[in-house]
Amino acid sequence: MAKQAPGVRIDGLTVVYKTPAGELPAVRDVTLTLEPGTITGIVGESGSGKSTMALSLLNAVQPPGRIAAGSVEIDGLGDVVGLRGEELRKARGKHIGYVFQAAQNSLNPLKTVGKQLLDLGRSHGVDDLRGLVREAKELLGRMGLDGARVLDSHQHELSGGMRQRVGIMLALVLNAHLVVLDEPTTALDMITQANILKIVREVHAERGLTTLVITHDIGVVAEVADRLAVMYGGRLVEQGPTRHVLGAPRHPYTRGLIRAIPRLVGDIAEAQALPGRPPTLATVPKEGCVFRERCPLRMDVCDTVDPEAHADGARAVACHAVTVKEHA
Ligand SMILES: Nc1ncnc2c1ncn2[C@@H]1O[C@H](COP(=O)(O)OP(=O)(O)O)[C@@H](O)[C@H]1O
Ligand SMILES: [Mg+2]
């Protein structure tokens, strides 16, 4: 059966965590479409809700968290927010390949990587286990590892960077056509990072995948993503084609993120750290704009009205100051 790159429509997604102060949103009213066959990058500082959103794509948010509102429609699966039990288990792995942020530590310490690969294959009804092993070795080889040796290894025998590549292999090996990679390269040095992302891009193109890459480093996705979505305080503040977002960022947060990365600015002397810190669940403003505390363009309206995403062709920006300027 020929599988095709699925489209994904996230609509009005809100995910909350139960805290001593009640249920607080980590992702709030996020609407985002992943077009079939594209790579979308989600960027934002730590704590902005990226991993929580990634987990929602698999309906894998665990207590004390829960999806409080919205839907995640995936072609061929329907709204995953409604999937339960066995249906959900089958969807993960075979339809949706994923590397969770904790992938480095998610291998079973007692079993070799090869044994875990076979378990994964069996649990998804793969008949040709030899083929699966061949495929795994190939993927590991492409990422610069000795496949046979890695499959014979236990987790503790692998470096952080090697484990991360094993995680990517496991996300790709079942041939899922939707792939979610959450901080897939953070344990790697810059050059290895670039190489691995190049391979992700190649495999994406060869197989016709829909891919979501999540990172706190906008420089990491600059070269691989077709589209970028920028998150802050659980809100999606800007999205659009990568070259537009990087070339002409509109939201002051996106501008700040880009200014902080020397290799995007082009000159290390010009890079400027974004002042202040991102909010936590407890400190995210309950009304008004989530970014206003750090915003150079803050206006009175920002204190009381949460800006809606304003679409302009392929771009969308949620900022009062930017909208005012456009309409002036
Ligand atoms: N299990 C949890 N319980 C309570 N709060 C959580 C839990 N997981 C994440 N959070 C909070 O939700 C917010 C978003 O976290 P996360 O989705 O991990 O962001 P990111 O991946 O962008 O760093 C953070 O403020 C984080 O502290
Ligand atoms: Mg994360």
Side-chain angles (χ1 to χ4, degrees):
M1 182 184 66
K3 288 198 274 186
Q4 296 211 322
V8 179
R9 290 162 300 282
I10 302 167
D11 191 21
L13 182 71
T14 294
V15 185
V16 296
Y17 288 106
K18 196 179 244 170
T19 75
E23 283 194 325
L24 298 173
V27 170
R28 187 154 56 85
D29 198 13
V30 162
T31 294
L32 176 69
T33 297
L34 311 184
E35 297 291 345
T38 60
I39 301 184
T40 302
I42 298 194
V43 297
E45 288 160 290
S46 175
S48 52
K50 306 179 300 295
S51 291
T52 302
M53 186 163 125
L55 288 169
S56 306
L57 260 60
L58 296 143
N59 193 357
V61 177
Q62 300 299 323
R66 68 177 180 96
I67 296 177
S71 56
V72 180
E73 290 274 348
I74 300 179
D75 290 340
L77 282 178
D79 183 0
V80 294
V81 174
L83 292 187
R84 296 281 174 269
E86 186 61 5
E87 269 179 328
L88 196 56
R89 194 191 64 77
K90 281 199 185 134
R92 295 176 191 157
K94 210 139 195 202
H95 202 96
I96 314 175
Y98 55 91
V99 185
F100 287 145
Q101 186 166 0
Q104 284 193 66
N105 309 312
S106 67
L107 292 168
N108 183 330
L110 302 176
K111 291 183 177 179
T112 62
V113 173
K115 183 80 184 39
Q116 289 176 71
L117 173 71
L118 294 177
D119 289 350
L120 178 76
R122 283 192 199 102
S123 74
H124 284 281
V126 174
D127 295 324
D128 181 10
L129 291 173
R130 274 166 193 269
L132 187 74
V133 169
R134 213 178 312 121
E135 175 79 13
K137 284 186 186 161
E138 216 246 56
L139 285 164
L140 291 167
R142 283 176 83 161
M143 291 189 279
L145 299 179
D146 177 342
R149 195 156 151 204
V150 168
L151 292 184
D152 269 342
S153 304
H154 288 83
Q155 173 187 290
H156 66 90
E157 296 168 294
L158 304 172
S159 70
M162 289 165 97
R163 281 181 223 164
Q164 232 163 9
R165 280 172 273 187
V166 168
I168 294 175
M169 177 276 284
L170 292 171
L172 296 173
V173 76
L174 289 180
N175 223 340
H177 277 219
L178 172 61
V179 172
V180 177
L181 306 172
D182 190 357
E183 309 272 5
T185 60
T186 34
L188 303 169
D189 64 78
M190 289 290 301
I191 295 184
T192 316
Q193 223 176 71
N195 282 337
I196 300 296
L197 288 169
K198 198 173 129 252
I199 291 152
V200 166
R201 172 120 225 157
E202 278 169 21
V203 173
H204 166 91
E206 280 163 22
R207 295 187 181 175
L209 308 179
T210 302
T211 303
L212 184 66
V213 179
I214 292 173
T215 171
H216 65 278
D217 180 349
I218 196 167
V220 162
V221 280
E223 279 152 46
V224 285
D226 302 299
R227 286 182 67 82
L228 279 187
V230 181
M231 279 189 86
Y232 188 84
R235 299 284 286 152
L236 219 164
V237 296
E238 175 159 13
Q239 59 168 302
T242 302
R243 61 179 195 287
H244 297 183
V245 173
L246 293 179
R250 294 210 187 131
H251 197 283
Y253 180 57
T254 317
R255 293 181 180 204
L257 278 183
I258 292 173
R259 255 200 312 269
I261 309 276
R263 61 188 188 283
L264 290 182
V265 176
D267 180 355
I268 204 156
E270 301 222 331
Q272 287 170 13
L274 190 67
R277 281 173 183 283
T280 64
L281 283 193
T283 61
V284 169
K286 299 216 167 28
E287 54 178 26
C289 175
V290 287
F291 185 60
R292 66 172 184 268
E293 297 293 340
R294 299 169 80 187
C295 184
L297 306 178
R298 182 172 179 173
M299 307 180 298
D300 286 347
V301 64
C302 307
D303 294 346
T304 50
V305 182
D306 191 7
E308 285 193 28
H310 207 83
D312 170 13
R315 289 292 278 286
V317 183
C319 172
H320 292 302
V322 169
T323 314
V324 164
K325 224 168 46 194
E326 273 169 7
H327 289 239

